[in-house]
Amino acid sequence: MQVVKKKGTLEATISKTLTQWEKDFLGRGSVSVKTDIIRDMIIVTLKGVLTPAEYALCQKDEGRLSIKKIRCELVESGRDLLGELIQELVGEEVITFHTDISTKTGERLMVFRLANDIEKTLDS
C-alpha cells in the first residue's frame, strides 16, 4: 500500500480503516470517527462506542468500572493489529498506543505515538 501524502486524506483513511477494524474485530463500529495528525501522534476520537445496555450498566460505579475494564481489554487484545494497520497507512513504526473510554459520553480516544514526526512530511 502506498503511503498517502495529503494530511486530510490520510486522516480520513485512518478513520475509515479504524471503523472497519472495529466492525471486524469488535463486532460493531462507532457512530463517528475523527482523526487528527499532530507531529508524531495520531489522535483518533470515536463517538458512540457504547451500546444502550452498556450505558445502562454505567449508571452504577461497579458497572462503569466493569465496562471500562472489558472495553479496554478488548481493544488491547487487538493492539498488535492496530499498530500494523497504522504503520501500513503512515509508513512509520508505532512506538506506543494509549486508549481510554468515557462511560459518560461513550467516547473513546486512541493515541498512536510514531517513531518520527510525520506531520511535517504531509501536504496540507
Side-chain angles (χ1 to χ4, degrees):
M1 175 180 281
Q2 184 174 345
V3 176
V4 178
K5 286 297 184 186
K6 277 201 132 340
K7 184 177 177 186
T9 303
L10 181 55
E11 289 169 336
T13 301
I14 292 168
S15 292
K16 182 178 176 183
T17 301
L18 286 184
T19 298
Q20 190 60 52
W21 175 85
E22 283 184 301
K23 289 177 182 176
D24 295 343
F25 192 77
L26 301 174
R28 68 184 290 271
S30 51
V31 174
S32 70
V33 180
K34 172 79 170 94
T35 299
D36 294 291
I37 297 172
I38 303 169
R39 296 181 309 277
D40 64 344
M41 293 179 288
I42 297 172
I43 302 167
V44 184
T45 306
L46 305 105
K47 294 185 178 181
V49 173
L50 298 178
T51 66
E54 288 171 322
Y55 276 118
L57 280 174
C58 290
Q59 298 305 308
K60 296 188 179 191
D61 286 342
E62 62 190 41
R64 190 170 20 259
L65 294 173
S66 177
I67 294 298
K68 282 181 82 83
K69 183 177 188 264
I70 290 168
R71 284 296 189 135
C72 181
E73 288 175 0
L74 284 171
V75 171
E76 285 290 328
S77 68
R79 180 184 192 131
D80 291 341
L81 180 57
L82 278 171
E84 290 169 13
L85 288 171
I86 295 296
Q87 183 170 341
E88 185 177 314
L89 291 172
V90 302
E92 285 290 338
E93 180 185 1
V94 175
I95 301 299
T96 59
F97 168 70
H98 307 275
T99 187
D100 195 15
I101 190 167
S102 168
T103 54
K104 183 175 183 178
T105 64
E107 180 179 88
R108 170 179 293 287
L109 287 179
M110 293 180 168
V111 179
F112 298 89
R113 193 98 192 285
L114 306 173
N116 292 295
D117 180 346
I118 65 161
E119 186 179 29
K120 64 184 175 186
T121 68
L122 299 171
D123 301 328
S124 297

Short mmCIF file of all heavy atoms in Angstrom, two decimals, residues 39-99:
data_model
loop_
_atom_site.label_atom_id
_atom_site.label_comp_id
_atom_site.label_asym_id
_atom_site.label_seq_id
_atom_site.Cartn_x
_atom_site.Cartn_y
_atom_site.Cartn_z
N ARG A 39 2.16 16.36 14.85
CA ARG A 39 3.58 16.00 14.98
C ARG A 39 3.77 14.49 14.83
O ARG A 39 3.55 13.95 13.76
CB ARG A 39 4.14 16.53 16.30
CG ARG A 39 4.14 18.05 16.38
CD ARG A 39 4.71 18.58 17.68
NE ARG A 39 4.18 18.04 18.91
CZ ARG A 39 3.06 18.45 19.49
NH1 ARG A 39 2.35 19.42 18.97
NH2 ARG A 39 2.65 17.90 20.62
N ASP A 40 4.17 13.81 15.90
CA ASP A 40 4.42 12.36 15.84
C ASP A 40 3.27 11.55 16.45
O ASP A 40 3.45 10.40 16.84
CB ASP A 40 5.74 12.01 16.54
CG ASP A 40 5.71 12.32 18.02
OD1 ASP A 40 4.82 13.07 18.48
OD2 ASP A 40 6.58 11.81 18.75
N MET A 41 2.08 12.17 16.52
CA MET A 41 0.93 11.50 17.12
C MET A 41 -0.25 11.44 16.17
O MET A 41 -0.48 12.37 15.40
CB MET A 41 0.49 12.24 18.39
CG MET A 41 1.48 12.18 19.51
SD MET A 41 0.90 13.11 20.95
CE MET A 41 1.07 14.79 20.36
N ILE A 42 -0.96 10.35 16.25
CA ILE A 42 -2.25 10.22 15.58
C ILE A 42 -3.28 10.08 16.68
O ILE A 42 -3.22 9.14 17.49
CB ILE A 42 -2.27 8.99 14.64
CG1 ILE A 42 -1.22 9.16 13.55
CG2 ILE A 42 -3.66 8.79 14.07
CD1 ILE A 42 -1.02 7.93 12.69
N ILE A 43 -4.19 11.05 16.75
CA ILE A 43 -5.22 11.06 17.78
C ILE A 43 -6.56 10.77 17.12
O ILE A 43 -6.97 11.47 16.19
CB ILE A 43 -5.26 12.42 18.51
CG1 ILE A 43 -3.88 12.70 19.12
CG2 ILE A 43 -6.36 12.43 19.57
CD1 ILE A 43 -3.68 14.11 19.59
N VAL A 44 -7.21 9.71 17.59
CA VAL A 44 -8.47 9.28 17.00
C VAL A 44 -9.56 9.39 18.06
O VAL A 44 -9.41 8.86 19.16
CB VAL A 44 -8.38 7.83 16.48
CG1 VAL A 44 -9.67 7.44 15.77
CG2 VAL A 44 -7.18 7.65 15.56
N THR A 45 -10.64 10.09 17.72
CA THR A 45 -11.80 10.23 18.59
C THR A 45 -12.93 9.43 17.98
O THR A 45 -13.33 9.67 16.84
CB THR A 45 -12.22 11.71 18.72
OG1 THR A 45 -11.09 12.47 19.14
CG2 THR A 45 -13.35 11.87 19.72
N LEU A 46 -13.44 8.45 18.74
CA LEU A 46 -14.52 7.60 18.27
C LEU A 46 -15.73 7.88 19.15
O LEU A 46 -15.66 7.72 20.38
CB LEU A 46 -14.13 6.13 18.37
CG LEU A 46 -12.84 5.75 17.65
CD1 LEU A 46 -11.72 5.54 18.63
CD2 LEU A 46 -13.05 4.52 16.81
N LYS A 47 -16.83 8.29 18.56
CA LYS A 47 -18.05 8.62 19.31
C LYS A 47 -19.09 7.53 19.11
O LYS A 47 -19.16 6.91 18.06
CB LYS A 47 -18.59 9.97 18.88
CG LYS A 47 -17.66 11.11 19.24
CD LYS A 47 -18.26 12.44 18.92
CE LYS A 47 -17.29 13.53 19.34
NZ LYS A 47 -17.81 14.85 19.09
N GLY A 48 -19.92 7.34 20.14
CA GLY A 48 -20.98 6.35 20.06
C GLY A 48 -20.47 4.93 20.14
O GLY A 48 -20.96 4.05 19.45
N VAL A 49 -19.50 4.71 21.00
CA VAL A 49 -18.86 3.40 21.12
C VAL A 49 -19.70 2.43 21.95
O VAL A 49 -19.77 1.25 21.65
CB VAL A 49 -17.44 3.55 21.72
CG1 VAL A 49 -16.82 2.22 22.03
CG2 VAL A 49 -16.56 4.35 20.78
N LEU A 50 -20.35 2.93 22.98
CA LEU A 50 -21.09 2.06 23.90
C LEU A 50 -22.48 1.70 23.38
O LEU A 50 -23.12 2.51 22.70
CB LEU A 50 -21.24 2.74 25.27
CG LEU A 50 -19.95 3.03 26.04
CD1 LEU A 50 -20.26 3.75 27.34
CD2 LEU A 50 -19.16 1.77 26.31
N THR A 51 -22.93 0.51 23.74
CA THR A 51 -24.28 0.07 23.39
C THR A 51 -25.26 0.62 24.43
O THR A 51 -24.85 1.02 25.53
CB THR A 51 -24.37 -1.46 23.40
OG1 THR A 51 -24.18 -1.93 24.74
CG2 THR A 51 -23.34 -2.10 22.47
N PRO A 52 -26.55 0.64 24.12
CA PRO A 52 -27.54 1.07 25.13
C PRO A 52 -27.45 0.26 26.43
O PRO A 52 -27.59 0.80 27.52
CB PRO A 52 -28.88 0.86 24.43
CG PRO A 52 -28.56 1.04 22.97
CD PRO A 52 -27.18 0.42 22.81
N ALA A 53 -27.20 -1.03 26.32
CA ALA A 53 -27.07 -1.87 27.52
C ALA A 53 -25.86 -1.45 28.35
O ALA A 53 -25.92 -1.44 29.59
CB ALA A 53 -26.95 -3.34 27.12
N GLU A 54 -24.76 -1.11 27.69
CA GLU A 54 -23.57 -0.66 28.42
C GLU A 54 -23.83 0.67 29.11
O GLU A 54 -23.38 0.88 30.24
CB GLU A 54 -22.38 -0.57 27.46
CG GLU A 54 -21.87 -1.94 27.04
CD GLU A 54 -20.83 -1.87 25.94
OE1 GLU A 54 -20.96 -1.02 25.03
OE2 GLU A 54 -19.88 -2.68 26.00
N TYR A 55 -24.54 1.58 28.45
CA TYR A 55 -24.90 2.84 29.10
C TYR A 55 -25.70 2.57 30.36
O TYR A 55 -25.49 3.21 31.40
CB TYR A 55 -25.72 3.73 28.16
CG TYR A 55 -24.90 4.57 27.22
CD1 TYR A 55 -25.02 4.41 25.84
CD2 TYR A 55 -24.04 5.55 27.69
CE1 TYR A 55 -24.29 5.19 24.96
CE2 TYR A 55 -23.30 6.34 26.83
CZ TYR A 55 -23.43 6.15 25.46
OH TYR A 55 -22.71 6.92 24.59
N ALA A 56 -26.63 1.63 30.30
CA ALA A 56 -27.45 1.29 31.47
C ALA A 56 -26.57 0.75 32.60
O ALA A 56 -26.74 1.13 33.76
CB ALA A 56 -28.53 0.28 31.08
N LEU A 57 -25.62 -0.11 32.27
CA LEU A 57 -24.71 -0.65 33.28
C LEU A 57 -23.86 0.45 33.92
O LEU A 57 -23.47 0.35 35.08
CB LEU A 57 -23.79 -1.70 32.67
CG LEU A 57 -24.35 -3.09 32.48
CD1 LEU A 57 -23.36 -3.96 31.72
CD2 LEU A 57 -24.66 -3.73 33.83
N CYS A 58 -23.56 1.48 33.15
CA CYS A 58 -22.69 2.56 33.63
C CYS A 58 -23.37 3.48 34.65
O CYS A 58 -22.72 4.39 35.17
CB CYS A 58 -22.17 3.38 32.45
SG CYS A 58 -20.98 2.47 31.45
N GLN A 59 -24.61 3.25 34.94
CA GLN A 59 -25.32 4.08 35.92
C GLN A 59 -24.80 3.83 37.34
O GLN A 59 -24.99 4.66 38.21
CB GLN A 59 -26.83 3.83 35.85
CG GLN A 59 -27.45 4.18 34.51
CD GLN A 59 -27.15 5.61 34.08
OE1 GLN A 59 -27.37 6.56 34.82
NE2 GLN A 59 -26.63 5.76 32.86
N LYS A 60 -24.16 2.70 37.55
CA LYS A 60 -23.61 2.38 38.87
C LYS A 60 -22.09 2.24 38.75
O LYS A 60 -21.58 1.85 37.71
CB LYS A 60 -24.21 1.08 39.39
CG LYS A 60 -25.70 1.20 39.62
CD LYS A 60 -26.25 0.00 40.32
CE LYS A 60 -27.75 0.25 40.50
NZ LYS A 60 -28.37 -0.68 41.36
N ASP A 61 -21.39 2.55 39.84
CA ASP A 61 -19.93 2.52 39.84
C ASP A 61 -19.36 1.18 39.40
O ASP A 61 -18.44 1.13 38.59
CB ASP A 61 -19.38 2.87 41.23
CG ASP A 61 -19.49 4.35 41.53
OD1 ASP A 61 -19.68 5.14 40.59
OD2 ASP A 61 -19.40 4.72 42.72
N GLU A 62 -19.91 0.09 39.94
CA GLU A 62 -19.35 -1.23 39.59
C GLU A 62 -19.56 -1.55 38.12
O GLU A 62 -18.70 -2.14 37.48
CB GLU A 62 -19.91 -2.32 40.49
CG GLU A 62 -21.42 -2.50 40.37
CD GLU A 62 -21.99 -3.40 41.44
OE1 GLU A 62 -21.57 -3.29 42.61
OE2 GLU A 62 -22.86 -4.21 41.10
N GLY A 63 -20.68 -1.14 37.57
CA GLY A 63 -20.94 -1.35 36.15
C GLY A 63 -20.01 -0.52 35.28
O GLY A 63 -19.49 -0.99 34.27
N ARG A 64 -19.80 0.72 35.70
CA ARG A 64 -18.91 1.64 34.97
C ARG A 64 -17.49 1.07 34.92
O ARG A 64 -16.87 1.03 33.87
CB ARG A 64 -18.94 3.01 35.66
CG ARG A 64 -18.26 4.10 34.91
CD ARG A 64 -18.49 5.50 35.49
NE ARG A 64 -18.91 5.61 36.87
CZ ARG A 64 -20.18 5.82 37.28
NH1 ARG A 64 -21.14 5.93 36.40
NH2 ARG A 64 -20.47 5.93 38.56
N LEU A 65 -17.00 0.60 36.06
CA LEU A 65 -15.65 0.03 36.12
C LEU A 65 -15.56 -1.25 35.29
O LEU A 65 -14.56 -1.49 34.61
CB LEU A 65 -15.25 -0.25 37.58
CG LEU A 65 -15.08 0.99 38.46
CD1 LEU A 65 -14.87 0.59 39.91
CD2 LEU A 65 -13.93 1.84 37.97
N SER A 66 -16.60 -2.04 35.33
CA SER A 66 -16.63 -3.29 34.56
C SER A 66 -16.59 -3.01 33.06
O SER A 66 -15.82 -3.64 32.32
CB SER A 66 -17.89 -4.07 34.91
OG SER A 66 -17.98 -5.23 34.13
N ILE A 67 -17.39 -2.06 32.59
CA ILE A 67 -17.42 -1.70 31.16
C ILE A 67 -16.07 -1.16 30.72
O ILE A 67 -15.55 -1.56 29.67
CB ILE A 67 -18.54 -0.68 30.86
CG1 ILE A 67 -19.92 -1.30 31.10
CG2 ILE A 67 -18.41 -0.12 29.45
CD1 ILE A 67 -20.25 -2.50 30.23
N LYS A 68 -15.48 -0.26 31.52
CA LYS A 68 -14.16 0.29 31.15
C LYS A 68 -13.12 -0.83 31.05
O LYS A 68 -12.34 -0.88 30.11
CB LYS A 68 -13.70 1.33 32.18
CG LYS A 68 -14.37 2.68 32.01
CD LYS A 68 -13.88 3.68 33.01
CE LYS A 68 -12.60 4.31 32.63
NZ LYS A 68 -12.64 5.43 31.71
N LYS A 69 -13.14 -1.76 32.01
CA LYS A 69 -12.17 -2.85 32.02
C LYS A 69 -12.35 -3.77 30.81
O LYS A 69 -11.39 -4.08 30.10
CB LYS A 69 -12.31 -3.65 33.32
CG LYS A 69 -11.30 -4.77 33.45
CD LYS A 69 -11.46 -5.46 34.80
CE LYS A 69 -10.36 -6.44 35.04
NZ LYS A 69 -10.66 -7.79 34.69
N ILE A 70 -13.57 -4.17 30.54
CA ILE A 70 -13.83 -5.08 29.42
C ILE A 70 -13.50 -4.42 28.10
O ILE A 70 -12.83 -5.01 27.24
CB ILE A 70 -15.30 -5.56 29.44
CG1 ILE A 70 -15.51 -6.51 30.62
CG2 ILE A 70 -15.68 -6.24 28.13
CD1 ILE A 70 -16.95 -6.82 30.92
N ARG A 71 -13.95 -3.18 27.91
CA ARG A 71 -13.67 -2.48 26.65
C ARG A 71 -12.17 -2.27 26.46
O ARG A 71 -11.66 -2.38 25.35
CB ARG A 71 -14.41 -1.13 26.61
CG ARG A 71 -15.89 -1.25 26.32
CD ARG A 71 -16.07 -1.81 24.92
NE ARG A 71 -17.45 -1.77 24.51
CZ ARG A 71 -17.85 -1.36 23.32
NH1 ARG A 71 -16.97 -0.96 22.43
NH2 ARG A 71 -19.12 -1.39 23.00
N CYS A 72 -11.47 -1.97 27.53
CA CYS A 72 -10.01 -1.78 27.44
C CYS A 72 -9.34 -3.10 27.04
O CYS A 72 -8.47 -3.12 26.17
CB CYS A 72 -9.46 -1.29 28.78
SG CYS A 72 -7.68 -1.01 28.76
N GLU A 73 -9.75 -4.19 27.67
CA GLU A 73 -9.16 -5.49 27.36
C GLU A 73 -9.45 -5.91 25.91
O GLU A 73 -8.59 -6.49 25.24
CB GLU A 73 -9.67 -6.55 28.34
CG GLU A 73 -9.08 -6.40 29.72
CD GLU A 73 -9.65 -7.35 30.75
OE1 GLU A 73 -10.54 -8.17 30.41
OE2 GLU A 73 -9.22 -7.28 31.91
N LEU A 74 -10.65 -5.60 25.42
CA LEU A 74 -10.99 -5.93 24.04
C LEU A 74 -10.07 -5.21 23.06
O LEU A 74 -9.51 -5.82 22.14
CB LEU A 74 -12.45 -5.56 23.73
CG LEU A 74 -13.52 -6.48 24.28
CD1 LEU A 74 -14.89 -5.86 24.09
CD2 LEU A 74 -13.45 -7.84 23.60
N VAL A 75 -9.89 -3.90 23.26
CA VAL A 75 -9.04 -3.13 22.35
C VAL A 75 -7.58 -3.55 22.51
O VAL A 75 -6.86 -3.70 21.52
CB VAL A 75 -9.22 -1.61 22.59
CG1 VAL A 75 -8.19 -0.81 21.82
CG2 VAL A 75 -10.63 -1.19 22.18
N GLU A 76 -7.14 -3.77 23.74
CA GLU A 76 -5.76 -4.19 23.98
C GLU A 76 -5.46 -5.53 23.29
O GLU A 76 -4.34 -5.75 22.82
CB GLU A 76 -5.47 -4.31 25.48
CG GLU A 76 -5.29 -2.97 26.17
CD GLU A 76 -4.01 -2.25 25.79
OE1 GLU A 76 -3.00 -2.91 25.51
OE2 GLU A 76 -4.02 -1.01 25.78
N SER A 77 -6.46 -6.40 23.20
CA SER A 77 -6.23 -7.70 22.56
C SER A 77 -6.00 -7.54 21.05
O SER A 77 -5.43 -8.43 20.42
CB SER A 77 -7.39 -8.66 22.83
OG SER A 77 -8.56 -8.24 22.17
N GLY A 78 -6.41 -6.41 20.49
CA GLY A 78 -6.18 -6.13 19.08
C GLY A 78 -5.09 -5.13 18.83
O GLY A 78 -4.92 -4.62 17.72
N ARG A 79 -4.32 -4.83 19.86
CA ARG A 79 -3.29 -3.79 19.81
C ARG A 79 -2.27 -4.01 18.69
O ARG A 79 -1.90 -3.09 17.98
CB ARG A 79 -2.60 -3.74 21.17
CG ARG A 79 -1.51 -2.74 21.27
CD ARG A 79 -0.83 -2.84 22.62
NE ARG A 79 0.03 -1.71 22.80
CZ ARG A 79 0.04 -0.94 23.88
NH1 ARG A 79 -0.74 -1.19 24.88
NH2 ARG A 79 0.86 0.08 23.95
N ASP A 80 -1.79 -5.24 18.54
CA ASP A 80 -0.78 -5.52 17.52
C ASP A 80 -1.32 -5.25 16.12
O ASP A 80 -0.65 -4.64 15.29
CB ASP A 80 -0.28 -6.97 17.62
CG ASP A 80 0.55 -7.21 18.88
OD1 ASP A 80 1.04 -6.23 19.48
OD2 ASP A 80 0.69 -8.38 19.27
N LEU A 81 -2.54 -5.71 15.86
CA LEU A 81 -3.16 -5.48 14.56
C LEU A 81 -3.37 -3.99 14.31
O LEU A 81 -3.11 -3.49 13.21
CB LEU A 81 -4.49 -6.23 14.45
CG LEU A 81 -5.24 -6.06 13.14
CD1 LEU A 81 -4.40 -6.48 11.95
CD2 LEU A 81 -6.54 -6.85 13.19
N LEU A 82 -3.80 -3.25 15.33
CA LEU A 82 -3.97 -1.80 15.19
C LEU A 82 -2.65 -1.13 14.82
O LEU A 82 -2.61 -0.29 13.94
CB LEU A 82 -4.49 -1.19 16.51
CG LEU A 82 -5.97 -1.26 16.77
CD1 LEU A 82 -6.28 -0.80 18.19
CD2 LEU A 82 -6.73 -0.42 15.77
N GLY A 83 -1.59 -1.51 15.52
CA GLY A 83 -0.27 -0.94 15.23
C GLY A 83 0.17 -1.22 13.81
O GLY A 83 0.71 -0.35 13.12
N GLU A 84 -0.09 -2.46 13.35
CA GLU A 84 0.27 -2.83 11.98
C GLU A 84 -0.53 -2.03 10.95
O GLU A 84 0.01 -1.58 9.94
CB GLU A 84 0.03 -4.33 11.77
CG GLU A 84 1.00 -5.21 12.51
CD GLU A 84 0.59 -6.67 12.52
OE1 GLU A 84 -0.32 -7.05 11.74
OE2 GLU A 84 1.18 -7.44 13.31
N LEU A 85 -1.83 -1.85 11.22
CA LEU A 85 -2.68 -1.07 10.30
C LEU A 85 -2.18 0.36 10.18
O LEU A 85 -2.05 0.90 9.07
CB LEU A 85 -4.13 -1.07 10.78
CG LEU A 85 -4.91 -2.37 10.64
CD1 LEU A 85 -6.26 -2.26 11.36
CD2 LEU A 85 -5.11 -2.72 9.18
N ILE A 86 -1.90 0.99 11.32
CA ILE A 86 -1.42 2.38 11.32
C ILE A 86 -0.07 2.47 10.61
O ILE A 86 0.16 3.34 9.77
CB ILE A 86 -1.35 2.95 12.75
CG1 ILE A 86 -2.75 3.04 13.36
CG2 ILE A 86 -0.66 4.31 12.76
CD1 ILE A 86 -3.70 3.98 12.66
N GLN A 87 0.83 1.56 10.92
CA GLN A 87 2.16 1.58 10.30
C GLN A 87 2.06 1.43 8.78
O GLN A 87 2.74 2.12 8.04
CB GLN A 87 3.05 0.47 10.88
CG GLN A 87 4.46 0.51 10.31
CD GLN A 87 5.41 -0.43 11.04
OE1 GLN A 87 5.15 -0.85 12.16
NE2 GLN A 87 6.51 -0.74 10.41
N GLU A 88 1.17 0.56 8.34
CA GLU A 88 0.98 0.37 6.90
C GLU A 88 0.44 1.64 6.24
O GLU A 88 0.86 2.01 5.15
CB GLU A 88 0.01 -0.80 6.66
CG GLU A 88 -0.15 -1.16 5.21
CD GLU A 88 -1.06 -2.37 5.03
OE1 GLU A 88 -0.89 -3.36 5.75
OE2 GLU A 88 -1.94 -2.30 4.15
N LEU A 89 -0.45 2.34 6.94
CA LEU A 89 -1.06 3.55 6.37
C LEU A 89 -0.10 4.74 6.33
O LEU A 89 -0.12 5.52 5.39
CB LEU A 89 -2.32 3.93 7.16
CG LEU A 89 -3.52 3.00 7.01
CD1 LEU A 89 -4.61 3.38 7.99
CD2 LEU A 89 -4.04 3.02 5.58
N VAL A 90 0.70 4.90 7.40
CA VAL A 90 1.52 6.11 7.50
C VAL A 90 3.00 5.89 7.18
O VAL A 90 3.75 6.84 7.02
CB VAL A 90 1.39 6.78 8.90
CG1 VAL A 90 -0.04 7.14 9.19
CG2 VAL A 90 1.98 5.92 10.00
N GLY A 91 3.42 4.63 7.13
CA GLY A 91 4.82 4.35 6.81
C GLY A 91 5.77 4.61 7.95
O GLY A 91 6.97 4.81 7.72
N GLU A 92 5.27 4.63 9.17
CA GLU A 92 6.12 4.84 10.36
C GLU A 92 5.74 3.82 11.42
O GLU A 92 4.57 3.46 11.57
CB GLU A 92 5.91 6.25 10.95
CG GLU A 92 6.56 7.35 10.17
CD GLU A 92 8.07 7.35 10.26
OE1 GLU A 92 8.64 6.78 11.21
OE2 GLU A 92 8.70 7.93 9.36
N GLU A 93 6.74 3.42 12.20
CA GLU A 93 6.50 2.48 13.29
C GLU A 93 5.71 3.14 14.41
O GLU A 93 5.95 4.29 14.77
CB GLU A 93 7.85 1.99 13.84
CG GLU A 93 7.72 1.00 14.97
CD GLU A 93 9.06 0.63 15.58
OE1 GLU A 93 10.10 1.16 15.14
OE2 GLU A 93 9.05 -0.18 16.51
N VAL A 94 4.75 2.39 14.97
CA VAL A 94 4.01 2.85 16.14
C VAL A 94 4.83 2.47 17.37
O VAL A 94 5.10 1.30 17.62
CB VAL A 94 2.60 2.20 16.21
CG1 VAL A 94 1.89 2.60 17.50
CG2 VAL A 94 1.78 2.60 14.99
N ILE A 95 5.24 3.50 18.12
CA ILE A 95 6.08 3.29 19.31
C ILE A 95 5.23 2.96 20.53
O ILE A 95 5.54 2.05 21.28
CB ILE A 95 6.94 4.55 19.60
CG1 ILE A 95 7.83 4.88 18.40
CG2 ILE A 95 7.76 4.37 20.86
CD1 ILE A 95 8.81 3.80 18.04
N THR A 96 4.16 3.74 20.73
CA THR A 96 3.26 3.49 21.86
C THR A 96 1.82 3.71 21.43
O THR A 96 1.54 4.41 20.44
CB THR A 96 3.54 4.42 23.07
OG1 THR A 96 3.40 5.78 22.66
CG2 THR A 96 4.91 4.19 23.65
N PHE A 97 0.92 3.10 22.18
CA PHE A 97 -0.51 3.21 21.92
C PHE A 97 -1.20 3.41 23.27
O PHE A 97 -0.93 2.69 24.23
CB PHE A 97 -1.01 1.92 21.26
CG PHE A 97 -2.50 1.80 21.20
CD1 PHE A 97 -3.24 2.60 20.35
CD2 PHE A 97 -3.16 0.86 21.98
CE1 PHE A 97 -4.63 2.49 20.29
CE2 PHE A 97 -4.55 0.74 21.92
CZ PHE A 97 -5.28 1.56 21.07
N HIS A 98 -2.07 4.42 23.33
CA HIS A 98 -2.82 4.71 24.56
C HIS A 98 -4.29 4.81 24.19
O HIS A 98 -4.63 5.33 23.12
CB HIS A 98 -2.38 6.04 25.17
CG HIS A 98 -0.90 6.14 25.38
ND1 HIS A 98 -0.28 5.64 26.49
CD2 HIS A 98 0.07 6.66 24.59
CE1 HIS A 98 1.03 5.86 26.39
NE2 HIS A 98 1.26 6.47 25.25
N THR A 99 -5.15 4.36 25.08
CA THR A 99 -6.58 4.47 24.83
C THR A 99 -7.36 4.56 26.13
O THR A 99 -6.91 4.05 27.17
CB THR A 99 -7.10 3.28 23.98
OG1 THR A 99 -8.46 3.51 23.62
CG2 THR A 99 -6.98 1.97 24.71
#
